[in-house]
Amino acid sequence: AYSTLLTDPFYVSAFFGSLKIALIATLSCLIIGYPMAYVIAQAAPQWRQILLLLIILPFFTSFLVRVYAWIGLL
């Protein structure tokens, strides 16, 4: 399997394309995430909770959609 991955041009281009996308995604998350974390860490205590809520709030949407789907099914 590894010899096919390294010799077939189709798999080589797909492999390096995947690595490129992973690198771009990782770097963009680091570029966005570290300054946001620094600002939240340096914020005043009353603002820190609001900023954390704004970061965490989008993660609850999938949970709420799943809960309402289960309500509809049950």
Side-chain angles (χ1 to χ4, degrees):
Y2 288 111
S3 63
T4 304
L5 176 68
L6 297 175
T7 57
D8 190 3
F10 175 74
Y11 290 119
V12 170
S13 66
F15 179 69
F16 284 118
S18 297
L19 284 179
K20 181 177 142 186
I21 291 171
L23 181 67
I24 291 169
T26 301
L27 290 176
S28 63
C29 287
L30 288 174
I31 290 170
I32 294 169
Y34 271 110
M36 289 178 87
Y38 181 76
V39 167
I40 292 172
Q42 298 298 320
Q46 68 267 18
W47 282 102
R48 194 174 301 148
Q49 291 181 349
I50 294 170
L51 292 172
L52 283 173
L53 178 70
L54 290 175
I55 296 295
I56 294 171
L57 192 64
F59 293 107
F60 285 119
T61 56
S62 67
F63 175 73
L64 289 174
V65 168
R66 205 174 326 136
V67 167
Y68 282 115
W70 274 109
I71 289 172
L73 288 172
L74 296 177

Short mmCIF file of all heavy atoms in Angstrom, two decimals:
data_model
loop_
_atom_site.label_atom_id
_atom_site.label_comp_id
_atom_site.label_asym_id
_atom_site.label_seq_id
_atom_site.Cartn_x
_atom_site.Cartn_y
_atom_site.Cartn_z
N ALA A 1 0.83 -1.19 0.00
CA ALA A 1 0.00 0.00 0.00
C ALA A 1 0.88 1.26 0.00
O ALA A 1 0.55 2.24 -0.67
CB ALA A 1 -0.93 -0.01 1.21
N TYR A 2 1.98 1.23 0.76
CA TYR A 2 2.85 2.40 0.80
C TYR A 2 3.57 2.61 -0.53
O TYR A 2 3.79 3.75 -0.94
CB TYR A 2 3.86 2.29 1.94
CG TYR A 2 3.25 2.45 3.29
CD1 TYR A 2 3.16 1.37 4.17
CD2 TYR A 2 2.75 3.68 3.70
CE1 TYR A 2 2.59 1.52 5.41
CE2 TYR A 2 2.17 3.84 4.95
CZ TYR A 2 2.10 2.76 5.80
OH TYR A 2 1.54 2.91 7.03
N SER A 3 3.94 1.53 -1.19
CA SER A 3 4.61 1.68 -2.48
C SER A 3 3.66 2.28 -3.52
O SER A 3 4.06 3.10 -4.34
CB SER A 3 5.16 0.34 -2.97
OG SER A 3 4.11 -0.58 -3.19
N THR A 4 2.39 1.89 -3.46
CA THR A 4 1.40 2.48 -4.36
C THR A 4 1.21 3.96 -4.05
O THR A 4 1.09 4.78 -4.97
CB THR A 4 0.05 1.74 -4.23
OG1 THR A 4 0.25 0.36 -4.48
CG2 THR A 4 -0.97 2.30 -5.21
N LEU A 5 1.19 4.30 -2.77
CA LEU A 5 1.02 5.69 -2.37
C LEU A 5 2.16 6.55 -2.88
O LEU A 5 1.95 7.69 -3.29
CB LEU A 5 0.93 5.79 -0.84
CG LEU A 5 0.86 7.19 -0.25
CD1 LEU A 5 -0.46 7.85 -0.62
CD2 LEU A 5 1.03 7.15 1.24
N LEU A 6 3.35 6.02 -2.88
CA LEU A 6 4.52 6.81 -3.26
C LEU A 6 4.87 6.74 -4.74
O LEU A 6 5.68 7.53 -5.21
CB LEU A 6 5.72 6.36 -2.43
CG LEU A 6 5.58 6.58 -0.92
CD1 LEU A 6 6.76 6.00 -0.19
CD2 LEU A 6 5.41 8.05 -0.60
N THR A 7 4.27 5.81 -5.48
CA THR A 7 4.63 5.68 -6.90
C THR A 7 3.53 6.13 -7.86
O THR A 7 3.83 6.63 -8.94
CB THR A 7 5.01 4.23 -7.23
OG1 THR A 7 3.92 3.37 -6.89
CG2 THR A 7 6.26 3.81 -6.47
N ASP A 8 2.28 5.95 -7.51
CA ASP A 8 1.18 6.32 -8.40
C ASP A 8 0.98 7.84 -8.34
O ASP A 8 0.77 8.40 -7.27
CB ASP A 8 -0.10 5.60 -7.97
CG ASP A 8 -1.23 5.74 -8.97
OD1 ASP A 8 -1.00 6.34 -10.04
OD2 ASP A 8 -2.33 5.25 -8.68
N PRO A 9 1.04 8.52 -9.47
CA PRO A 9 0.92 9.99 -9.47
C PRO A 9 -0.41 10.49 -8.90
O PRO A 9 -0.45 11.54 -8.26
CB PRO A 9 1.04 10.38 -10.94
CG PRO A 9 1.62 9.20 -11.62
CD PRO A 9 1.30 8.00 -10.80
N PHE A 10 -1.48 9.75 -9.10
CA PHE A 10 -2.77 10.16 -8.57
C PHE A 10 -2.75 10.20 -7.03
O PHE A 10 -3.17 11.17 -6.41
CB PHE A 10 -3.87 9.21 -9.06
CG PHE A 10 -5.22 9.50 -8.47
CD1 PHE A 10 -5.95 10.60 -8.89
CD2 PHE A 10 -5.76 8.68 -7.49
CE1 PHE A 10 -7.19 10.87 -8.35
CE2 PHE A 10 -6.99 8.94 -6.94
CZ PHE A 10 -7.72 10.04 -7.37
N TYR A 11 -2.23 9.14 -6.44
CA TYR A 11 -2.18 9.07 -4.98
C TYR A 11 -1.17 10.05 -4.40
O TYR A 11 -1.38 10.61 -3.32
CB TYR A 11 -1.86 7.65 -4.53
CG TYR A 11 -2.98 6.68 -4.78
CD1 TYR A 11 -2.80 5.59 -5.61
CD2 TYR A 11 -4.24 6.86 -4.20
CE1 TYR A 11 -3.83 4.70 -5.85
CE2 TYR A 11 -5.27 5.98 -4.44
CZ TYR A 11 -5.06 4.90 -5.26
OH TYR A 11 -6.09 4.02 -5.50
N VAL A 12 -0.08 10.26 -5.10
CA VAL A 12 0.93 11.21 -4.62
C VAL A 12 0.34 12.61 -4.59
O VAL A 12 0.49 13.34 -3.60
CB VAL A 12 2.20 11.15 -5.51
CG1 VAL A 12 3.14 12.29 -5.19
CG2 VAL A 12 2.90 9.82 -5.34
N SER A 13 -0.36 13.00 -5.65
CA SER A 13 -0.94 14.35 -5.68
C SER A 13 -2.05 14.49 -4.65
O SER A 13 -2.17 15.54 -4.01
CB SER A 13 -1.46 14.67 -7.09
OG SER A 13 -2.55 13.84 -7.42
N ALA A 14 -2.85 13.44 -4.46
CA ALA A 14 -3.90 13.51 -3.45
C ALA A 14 -3.30 13.57 -2.04
O ALA A 14 -3.79 14.32 -1.18
CB ALA A 14 -4.82 12.29 -3.57
N PHE A 15 -2.24 12.82 -1.80
CA PHE A 15 -1.58 12.81 -0.49
C PHE A 15 -0.99 14.18 -0.17
O PHE A 15 -1.20 14.73 0.91
CB PHE A 15 -0.50 11.73 -0.48
CG PHE A 15 0.25 11.65 0.81
CD1 PHE A 15 -0.36 11.20 1.97
CD2 PHE A 15 1.58 12.02 0.86
CE1 PHE A 15 0.33 11.13 3.15
CE2 PHE A 15 2.28 11.95 2.04
CZ PHE A 15 1.66 11.50 3.19
N PHE A 16 -0.25 14.74 -1.11
CA PHE A 16 0.36 16.05 -0.86
C PHE A 16 -0.68 17.16 -0.83
O PHE A 16 -0.51 18.16 -0.13
CB PHE A 16 1.46 16.34 -1.87
CG PHE A 16 2.71 15.56 -1.59
CD1 PHE A 16 3.20 14.64 -2.50
CD2 PHE A 16 3.39 15.74 -0.40
CE1 PHE A 16 4.34 13.93 -2.23
CE2 PHE A 16 4.54 15.02 -0.12
CZ PHE A 16 5.02 14.11 -1.04
N GLY A 17 -1.77 17.00 -1.58
CA GLY A 17 -2.86 17.97 -1.49
C GLY A 17 -3.50 17.96 -0.11
O GLY A 17 -3.81 19.01 0.46
N SER A 18 -3.68 16.76 0.44
CA SER A 18 -4.24 16.63 1.79
C SER A 18 -3.30 17.23 2.83
O SER A 18 -3.75 17.90 3.77
CB SER A 18 -4.51 15.18 2.13
OG SER A 18 -5.47 14.63 1.26
N LEU A 19 -2.01 16.99 2.66
CA LEU A 19 -1.04 17.58 3.59
C LEU A 19 -1.04 19.10 3.52
O LEU A 19 -0.94 19.79 4.53
CB LEU A 19 0.35 17.04 3.31
CG LEU A 19 0.65 15.63 3.77
CD1 LEU A 19 2.07 15.23 3.39
CD2 LEU A 19 0.44 15.48 5.26
N LYS A 20 -1.19 19.62 2.31
CA LYS A 20 -1.22 21.08 2.13
C LYS A 20 -2.45 21.68 2.81
O LYS A 20 -2.35 22.69 3.51
CB LYS A 20 -1.22 21.41 0.63
CG LYS A 20 -1.24 22.86 0.31
CD LYS A 20 -1.16 23.05 -1.20
CE LYS A 20 -2.04 24.20 -1.61
NZ LYS A 20 -2.13 24.35 -3.05
N ILE A 21 -3.60 21.05 2.63
CA ILE A 21 -4.83 21.54 3.26
C ILE A 21 -4.72 21.46 4.78
O ILE A 21 -5.13 22.38 5.50
CB ILE A 21 -6.05 20.77 2.74
CG1 ILE A 21 -6.31 21.10 1.28
CG2 ILE A 21 -7.28 21.06 3.57
CD1 ILE A 21 -7.34 20.24 0.60
N ALA A 22 -4.14 20.37 5.29
CA ALA A 22 -3.97 20.22 6.74
C ALA A 22 -3.04 21.29 7.29
O ALA A 22 -3.29 21.85 8.36
CB ALA A 22 -3.45 18.83 7.06
N LEU A 23 -1.98 21.59 6.58
CA LEU A 23 -1.04 22.62 7.02
C LEU A 23 -1.69 24.00 7.02
O LEU A 23 -1.53 24.77 7.98
CB LEU A 23 0.20 22.61 6.13
CG LEU A 23 1.28 23.62 6.48
CD1 LEU A 23 1.91 23.26 7.82
CD2 LEU A 23 2.33 23.66 5.39
N ILE A 24 -2.43 24.31 5.98
CA ILE A 24 -3.12 25.60 5.91
C ILE A 24 -4.15 25.72 7.03
O ILE A 24 -4.25 26.78 7.68
CB ILE A 24 -3.77 25.79 4.52
CG1 ILE A 24 -2.69 25.97 3.46
CG2 ILE A 24 -4.72 26.98 4.52
CD1 ILE A 24 -3.21 25.90 2.04
N ALA A 25 -4.91 24.67 7.28
CA ALA A 25 -5.92 24.71 8.34
C ALA A 25 -5.27 24.86 9.71
O ALA A 25 -5.74 25.64 10.55
CB ALA A 25 -6.77 23.44 8.30
N THR A 26 -4.17 24.16 9.94
CA THR A 26 -3.48 24.26 11.22
C THR A 26 -2.91 25.65 11.44
O THR A 26 -3.08 26.24 12.53
CB THR A 26 -2.35 23.21 11.29
OG1 THR A 26 -2.92 21.92 11.12
CG2 THR A 26 -1.62 23.28 12.60
N LEU A 27 -2.26 26.19 10.44
CA LEU A 27 -1.69 27.53 10.57
C LEU A 27 -2.76 28.60 10.75
O LEU A 27 -2.59 29.52 11.56
CB LEU A 27 -0.81 27.86 9.36
CG LEU A 27 0.50 27.08 9.27
CD1 LEU A 27 1.24 27.42 7.99
CD2 LEU A 27 1.36 27.34 10.49
N SER A 28 -3.87 28.47 10.03
CA SER A 28 -4.93 29.47 10.18
C SER A 28 -5.57 29.39 11.57
O SER A 28 -5.89 30.42 12.16
CB SER A 28 -5.98 29.32 9.08
OG SER A 28 -6.62 28.08 9.16
N CYS A 29 -5.72 28.19 12.11
CA CYS A 29 -6.25 28.06 13.47
C CYS A 29 -5.29 28.65 14.49
O CYS A 29 -5.72 29.29 15.45
CB CYS A 29 -6.53 26.60 13.80
SG CYS A 29 -7.98 25.94 12.98
N LEU A 30 -4.00 28.44 14.30
CA LEU A 30 -3.02 29.02 15.21
C LEU A 30 -3.00 30.54 15.11
O LEU A 30 -2.92 31.23 16.13
CB LEU A 30 -1.63 28.46 14.92
CG LEU A 30 -1.39 27.01 15.31
CD1 LEU A 30 -0.02 26.55 14.82
CD2 LEU A 30 -1.50 26.85 16.81
N ILE A 31 -3.07 31.06 13.90
CA ILE A 31 -3.04 32.51 13.71
C ILE A 31 -4.27 33.17 14.31
O ILE A 31 -4.19 34.27 14.86
CB ILE A 31 -2.89 32.84 12.20
CG1 ILE A 31 -1.50 32.46 11.74
CG2 ILE A 31 -3.17 34.29 11.92
CD1 ILE A 31 -1.31 32.52 10.24
N ILE A 32 -5.41 32.51 14.22
CA ILE A 32 -6.64 33.08 14.77
C ILE A 32 -6.75 32.78 16.27
O ILE A 32 -7.15 33.65 17.06
CB ILE A 32 -7.87 32.53 14.03
CG1 ILE A 32 -7.87 33.03 12.59
CG2 ILE A 32 -9.16 32.93 14.72
CD1 ILE A 32 -8.88 32.34 11.71
N GLY A 33 -6.39 31.57 16.68
CA GLY A 33 -6.65 31.13 18.04
C GLY A 33 -5.76 31.75 19.10
O GLY A 33 -6.24 32.13 20.17
N TYR A 34 -4.47 31.86 18.84
CA TYR A 34 -3.58 32.39 19.86
C TYR A 34 -3.85 33.85 20.20
O TYR A 34 -3.90 34.21 21.38
CB TYR A 34 -2.12 32.19 19.47
CG TYR A 34 -1.58 30.87 19.94
CD1 TYR A 34 -1.30 29.86 19.04
CD2 TYR A 34 -1.38 30.62 21.29
CE1 TYR A 34 -0.83 28.64 19.46
CE2 TYR A 34 -0.91 29.41 21.73
CZ TYR A 34 -0.63 28.42 20.81
OH TYR A 34 -0.17 27.22 21.24
N PRO A 35 -4.05 34.74 19.22
CA PRO A 35 -4.41 36.12 19.61
C PRO A 35 -5.74 36.21 20.36
O PRO A 35 -5.87 37.00 21.30
CB PRO A 35 -4.48 36.86 18.27
CG PRO A 35 -3.63 36.07 17.36
CD PRO A 35 -3.78 34.65 17.78
N MET A 36 -6.71 35.38 19.97
CA MET A 36 -7.99 35.40 20.69
C MET A 36 -7.81 34.94 22.13
O MET A 36 -8.36 35.53 23.06
CB MET A 36 -9.02 34.53 19.98
CG MET A 36 -9.51 35.08 18.68
SD MET A 36 -10.66 33.97 17.89
CE MET A 36 -12.17 34.47 18.64
N ALA A 37 -7.02 33.88 22.32
CA ALA A 37 -6.77 33.38 23.67
C ALA A 37 -6.02 34.42 24.50
O ALA A 37 -6.31 34.59 25.69
CB ALA A 37 -5.99 32.08 23.60
N TYR A 38 -5.09 35.11 23.89
CA TYR A 38 -4.33 36.13 24.61
C TYR A 38 -5.25 37.28 25.04
O TYR A 38 -5.17 37.75 26.17
CB TYR A 38 -3.20 36.66 23.74
CG TYR A 38 -2.36 37.69 24.43
CD1 TYR A 38 -1.43 37.32 25.39
CD2 TYR A 38 -2.50 39.04 24.13
CE1 TYR A 38 -0.66 38.27 26.03
CE2 TYR A 38 -1.74 39.99 24.76
CZ TYR A 38 -0.83 39.62 25.73
OH TYR A 38 -0.09 40.56 26.36
N VAL A 39 -6.11 37.72 24.13
CA VAL A 39 -7.04 38.82 24.46
C VAL A 39 -7.98 38.40 25.57
O VAL A 39 -8.24 39.17 26.51
CB VAL A 39 -7.81 39.25 23.19
CG1 VAL A 39 -8.98 40.16 23.53
CG2 VAL A 39 -6.88 39.93 22.21
N ILE A 40 -8.50 37.18 25.50
CA ILE A 40 -9.40 36.70 26.55
C ILE A 40 -8.67 36.59 27.88
O ILE A 40 -9.20 36.95 28.93
CB ILE A 40 -10.05 35.37 26.14
CG1 ILE A 40 -11.00 35.59 24.97
CG2 ILE A 40 -10.79 34.73 27.31
CD1 ILE A 40 -11.55 34.33 24.36
N ALA A 41 -7.43 36.12 27.86
CA ALA A 41 -6.67 35.98 29.10
C ALA A 41 -6.33 37.33 29.72
O ALA A 41 -6.26 37.45 30.95
CB ALA A 41 -5.39 35.19 28.83
N GLN A 42 -6.13 38.34 28.90
CA GLN A 42 -5.77 39.66 29.39
C GLN A 42 -6.98 40.54 29.68
O GLN A 42 -6.82 41.64 30.22
CB GLN A 42 -4.87 40.38 28.39
CG GLN A 42 -3.56 39.67 28.14
CD GLN A 42 -2.71 39.56 29.37
OE1 GLN A 42 -2.62 40.49 30.16
NE2 GLN A 42 -2.09 38.40 29.55
N ALA A 43 -8.18 40.09 29.34
CA ALA A 43 -9.38 40.91 29.51
C ALA A 43 -9.74 41.01 31.00
O ALA A 43 -9.34 40.19 31.83
CB ALA A 43 -10.55 40.30 28.74
N ALA A 44 -10.50 42.03 31.29
CA ALA A 44 -11.00 42.20 32.66
C ALA A 44 -11.93 41.04 33.00
O ALA A 44 -12.56 40.47 32.11
CB ALA A 44 -11.72 43.53 32.77
N PRO A 45 -12.03 40.69 34.28
CA PRO A 45 -12.85 39.52 34.66
C PRO A 45 -14.30 39.59 34.19
O PRO A 45 -14.88 38.57 33.81
CB PRO A 45 -12.76 39.50 36.18
CG PRO A 45 -11.47 40.18 36.48
CD PRO A 45 -11.29 41.22 35.42
N GLN A 46 -14.92 40.76 34.18
CA GLN A 46 -16.32 40.84 33.75
C GLN A 46 -16.45 40.62 32.25
O GLN A 46 -17.46 40.12 31.78
CB GLN A 46 -16.96 42.16 34.18
CG GLN A 46 -16.41 43.38 33.48
CD GLN A 46 -15.29 44.04 34.26
OE1 GLN A 46 -14.70 43.43 35.14
NE2 GLN A 46 -15.01 45.28 33.94
N TRP A 47 -15.43 40.98 31.47
CA TRP A 47 -15.46 40.76 30.03
C TRP A 47 -15.04 39.36 29.65
O TRP A 47 -15.41 38.85 28.61
CB TRP A 47 -14.55 41.77 29.32
CG TRP A 47 -15.17 43.11 29.21
CD1 TRP A 47 -14.89 44.19 29.97
CD2 TRP A 47 -16.19 43.50 28.30
NE1 TRP A 47 -15.68 45.24 29.59
CE2 TRP A 47 -16.48 44.84 28.56
CE3 TRP A 47 -16.88 42.85 27.29
CZ2 TRP A 47 -17.44 45.53 27.85
CZ3 TRP A 47 -17.84 43.54 26.58
CH2 TRP A 47 -18.10 44.86 26.86
N ARG A 48 -14.21 38.73 30.49
CA ARG A 48 -13.67 37.40 30.19
C ARG A 48 -14.80 36.38 30.02
O ARG A 48 -14.78 35.56 29.09
CB ARG A 48 -12.72 36.97 31.30
CG ARG A 48 -11.88 35.79 30.92
CD ARG A 48 -10.85 35.48 31.98
NE ARG A 48 -9.98 36.63 32.19
CZ ARG A 48 -9.43 36.94 33.36
NH1 ARG A 48 -9.64 36.20 34.41
NH2 ARG A 48 -8.65 37.98 33.46
N GLN A 49 -15.78 36.41 30.90
CA GLN A 49 -16.89 35.45 30.80
C GLN A 49 -17.72 35.68 29.54
O GLN A 49 -18.15 34.73 28.89
CB GLN A 49 -17.76 35.54 32.04
CG GLN A 49 -17.09 35.02 33.27
CD GLN A 49 -17.99 35.11 34.49
OE1 GLN A 49 -19.04 35.73 34.44
NE2 GLN A 49 -17.56 34.48 35.57
N ILE A 50 -17.92 36.93 29.19
CA ILE A 50 -18.70 37.24 27.98
C ILE A 50 -17.95 36.78 26.74
O ILE A 50 -18.53 36.18 25.82
CB ILE A 50 -19.02 38.75 27.91
CG1 ILE A 50 -19.95 39.13 29.06
CG2 ILE A 50 -19.63 39.12 26.58
CD1 ILE A 50 -20.13 40.61 29.24
N LEU A 51 -16.64 37.03 26.69
CA LEU A 51 -15.85 36.61 25.53
C LEU A 51 -15.81 35.08 25.41
O LEU A 51 -15.92 34.54 24.31
CB LEU A 51 -14.43 37.17 25.63
CG LEU A 51 -14.31 38.69 25.48
CD1 LEU A 51 -12.90 39.14 25.80
CD2 LEU A 51 -14.73 39.13 24.10
N LEU A 52 -15.67 34.39 26.54
CA LEU A 52 -15.69 32.93 26.50
C LEU A 52 -17.05 32.40 26.05
O LEU A 52 -17.13 31.43 25.31
CB LEU A 52 -15.33 32.36 27.87
CG LEU A 52 -13.85 32.39 28.22
CD1 LEU A 52 -13.64 31.95 29.66
CD2 LEU A 52 -13.06 31.53 27.28
N LEU A 53 -18.10 33.05 26.49
CA LEU A 53 -19.45 32.65 26.06
C LEU A 53 -19.59 32.82 24.55
O LEU A 53 -20.17 31.96 23.88
CB LEU A 53 -20.51 33.47 26.79
CG LEU A 53 -21.95 33.18 26.40
CD1 LEU A 53 -22.35 31.79 26.90
CD2 LEU A 53 -22.88 34.23 26.96
N LEU A 54 -19.07 33.90 24.01
CA LEU A 54 -19.15 34.13 22.56
C LEU A 54 -18.36 33.09 21.78
O LEU A 54 -18.72 32.74 20.65
CB LEU A 54 -18.66 35.53 22.22
CG LEU A 54 -19.56 36.67 22.65
CD1 LEU A 54 -18.88 38.02 22.37
CD2 LEU A 54 -20.91 36.60 21.98
N ILE A 55 -17.28 32.56 22.37
CA ILE A 55 -16.50 31.53 21.71
C ILE A 55 -17.20 30.18 21.79
O ILE A 55 -17.23 29.41 20.83
CB ILE A 55 -15.09 31.44 22.34
CG1 ILE A 55 -14.32 32.72 22.14
CG2 ILE A 55 -14.32 30.24 21.80
CD1 ILE A 55 -13.99 33.04 20.72
N ILE A 56 -17.79 29.87 22.94
CA ILE A 56 -18.37 28.55 23.18
C ILE A 56 -19.78 28.43 22.61
O ILE A 56 -20.21 27.32 22.25
CB ILE A 56 -18.36 28.25 24.69
CG1 ILE A 56 -16.92 28.14 25.17
CG2 ILE A 56 -19.12 26.99 25.02
CD1 ILE A 56 -16.78 28.05 26.66
N LEU A 57 -20.50 29.52 22.48
CA LEU A 57 -21.90 29.49 22.04
C LEU A 57 -22.15 28.74 20.73
O LEU A 57 -23.10 27.96 20.66
CB LEU A 57 -22.44 30.92 21.97
CG LEU A 57 -23.94 31.08 21.80
CD1 LEU A 57 -24.65 30.52 23.04
CD2 LEU A 57 -24.28 32.54 21.63
N PRO A 58 -21.34 28.89 19.69
CA PRO A 58 -21.63 28.15 18.45
C PRO A 58 -21.57 26.63 18.60
O PRO A 58 -22.21 25.90 17.85
CB PRO A 58 -20.55 28.63 17.48
CG PRO A 58 -20.14 29.94 17.99
CD PRO A 58 -20.27 29.87 19.47
N PHE A 59 -20.83 26.14 19.59
CA PHE A 59 -20.74 24.70 19.78
C PHE A 59 -22.03 24.11 20.34
O PHE A 59 -22.27 22.91 20.23
CB PHE A 59 -19.56 24.35 20.70
CG PHE A 59 -18.24 24.66 20.09
CD1 PHE A 59 -17.49 25.73 20.53
CD2 PHE A 59 -17.75 23.90 19.04
CE1 PHE A 59 -16.27 26.03 19.97
CE2 PHE A 59 -16.53 24.19 18.47
CZ PHE A 59 -15.79 25.26 18.93
N PHE A 60 -22.86 24.94 20.95
CA PHE A 60 -24.12 24.45 21.50
C PHE A 60 -25.20 24.27 20.44
O PHE A 60 -26.19 23.60 20.68
CB PHE A 60 -24.64 25.40 22.60
CG PHE A 60 -23.89 25.28 23.88
CD1 PHE A 60 -23.23 26.37 24.38
CD2 PHE A 60 -23.86 24.08 24.57
CE1 PHE A 60 -22.53 26.27 25.57
CE2 PHE A 60 -23.17 23.98 25.75
CZ PHE A 60 -22.50 25.08 26.26
N THR A 61 -25.03 24.86 19.27
CA THR A 61 -26.08 24.76 18.26
C THR A 61 -26.27 23.33 17.78
O THR A 61 -27.40 22.88 17.62
CB THR A 61 -25.77 25.68 17.06
OG1 THR A 61 -24.49 25.34 16.55
CG2 THR A 61 -25.79 27.13 17.48
N SER A 62 -25.19 22.60 17.55
CA SER A 62 -25.35 21.22 17.10
C SER A 62 -25.99 20.37 18.20
O SER A 62 -26.78 19.48 17.91
CB SER A 62 -24.00 20.63 16.70
OG SER A 62 -23.16 20.50 17.82
N PHE A 63 -25.66 20.67 19.44
CA PHE A 63 -26.27 19.95 20.56
C PHE A 63 -27.77 20.23 20.60
O PHE A 63 -28.59 19.30 20.76
CB PHE A 63 -25.62 20.38 21.88
CG PHE A 63 -26.27 19.79 23.09
CD1 PHE A 63 -26.11 18.45 23.40
CD2 PHE A 63 -27.05 20.58 23.91
CE1 PHE A 63 -26.71 17.90 24.51
CE2 PHE A 63 -27.66 20.04 25.02
CZ PHE A 63 -27.49 18.70 25.32
N LEU A 64 -28.18 21.46 20.43
CA LEU A 64 -29.60 21.81 20.45
C LEU A 64 -30.34 21.19 19.28
O LEU A 64 -31.47 20.70 19.44
CB LEU A 64 -29.79 23.32 20.44
CG LEU A 64 -29.39 24.04 21.73
CD1 LEU A 64 -29.48 25.54 21.54
CD2 LEU A 64 -30.26 23.60 22.88
N VAL A 65 -29.74 21.19 18.11
CA VAL A 65 -30.38 20.57 16.95
C VAL A 65 -30.57 19.09 17.19
O VAL A 65 -31.62 18.51 16.89
CB VAL A 65 -29.55 20.84 15.67
CG1 VAL A 65 -30.01 19.97 14.53
CG2 VAL A 65 -29.61 22.30 15.31
N ARG A 66 -29.57 18.44 17.79
CA ARG A 66 -29.67 17.00 18.08
C ARG A 66 -30.77 16.73 19.10
O ARG A 66 -31.52 15.76 18.97
CB ARG A 66 -28.32 16.51 18.61
CG ARG A 66 -28.10 15.06 18.40
CD ARG A 66 -26.69 14.62 18.79
NE ARG A 66 -25.67 15.62 18.54
CZ ARG A 66 -24.71 15.93 19.39
NH1 ARG A 66 -24.60 15.32 20.53
NH2 ARG A 66 -23.82 16.85 19.08
N VAL A 67 -30.87 17.57 20.12
CA VAL A 67 -31.90 17.40 21.14
C VAL A 67 -33.29 17.53 20.52
O VAL A 67 -34.19 16.71 20.77
CB VAL A 67 -31.72 18.39 22.29
CG1 VAL A 67 -32.94 18.44 23.19
CG2 VAL A 67 -30.49 18.03 23.10
N TYR A 68 -33.48 18.55 19.70
CA TYR A 68 -34.79 18.72 19.06
C TYR A 68 -35.10 17.61 18.06
O TYR A 68 -36.25 17.23 17.88
CB TYR A 68 -34.90 20.09 18.40
CG TYR A 68 -35.18 21.18 19.40
CD1 TYR A 68 -34.27 22.19 19.64
CD2 TYR A 68 -36.35 21.20 20.13
CE1 TYR A 68 -34.50 23.19 20.56
CE2 TYR A 68 -36.62 22.17 21.06
CZ TYR A 68 -35.69 23.16 21.27
OH TYR A 68 -35.95 24.15 22.20
N ALA A 69 -34.09 17.06 17.42
CA ALA A 69 -34.32 15.92 16.53
C ALA A 69 -34.79 14.71 17.32
O ALA A 69 -35.69 14.00 16.89
CB ALA A 69 -33.05 15.61 15.76
N TRP A 70 -34.17 14.47 18.49
CA TRP A 70 -34.59 13.35 19.33
C TRP A 70 -36.00 13.58 19.84
O TRP A 70 -36.79 12.61 19.95
CB TRP A 70 -33.62 13.15 20.49
CG TRP A 70 -32.46 12.28 20.12
CD1 TRP A 70 -31.18 12.68 19.96
CD2 TRP A 70 -32.49 10.89 19.83
NE1 TRP A 70 -30.40 11.62 19.59
CE2 TRP A 70 -31.17 10.51 19.52
CE3 TRP A 70 -33.49 9.92 19.81
CZ2 TRP A 70 -30.84 9.19 19.19
CZ3 TRP A 70 -33.14 8.62 19.49
CH2 TRP A 70 -31.85 8.28 19.18
N ILE A 71 -36.35 14.79 20.17
CA ILE A 71 -37.72 15.07 20.63
C ILE A 71 -38.70 14.74 19.52
O ILE A 71 -39.75 14.12 19.77
CB ILE A 71 -37.84 16.55 21.07
CG1 ILE A 71 -37.07 16.77 22.37
CG2 ILE A 71 -39.30 16.94 21.23
CD1 ILE A 71 -36.97 18.22 22.78
N GLY A 72 -38.38 15.11 18.29
CA GLY A 72 -39.25 14.80 17.17
C GLY A 72 -39.36 13.31 16.91
O GLY A 72 -40.42 12.79 16.56
N LEU A 73 -38.25 12.58 17.10
CA LEU A 73 -38.29 11.14 16.88
C LEU A 73 -39.02 10.39 17.99
O LEU A 73 -39.71 9.41 17.73
CB LEU A 73 -36.86 10.59 16.76
CG LEU A 73 -36.12 10.95 15.49
CD1 LEU A 73 -34.66 10.52 15.59
CD2 LEU A 73 -36.77 10.29 14.30
N LEU A 74 -38.83 10.83 19.20
CA LEU A 74 -39.44 10.11 20.32
C LEU A 74 -40.86 10.56 20.56
O LEU A 74 -41.65 9.91 21.18
CB LEU A 74 -38.58 10.30 21.58
CG LEU A 74 -37.18 9.71 21.50
CD1 LEU A 74 -36.41 10.03 22.78
CD2 LEU A 74 -37.24 8.20 21.29
#
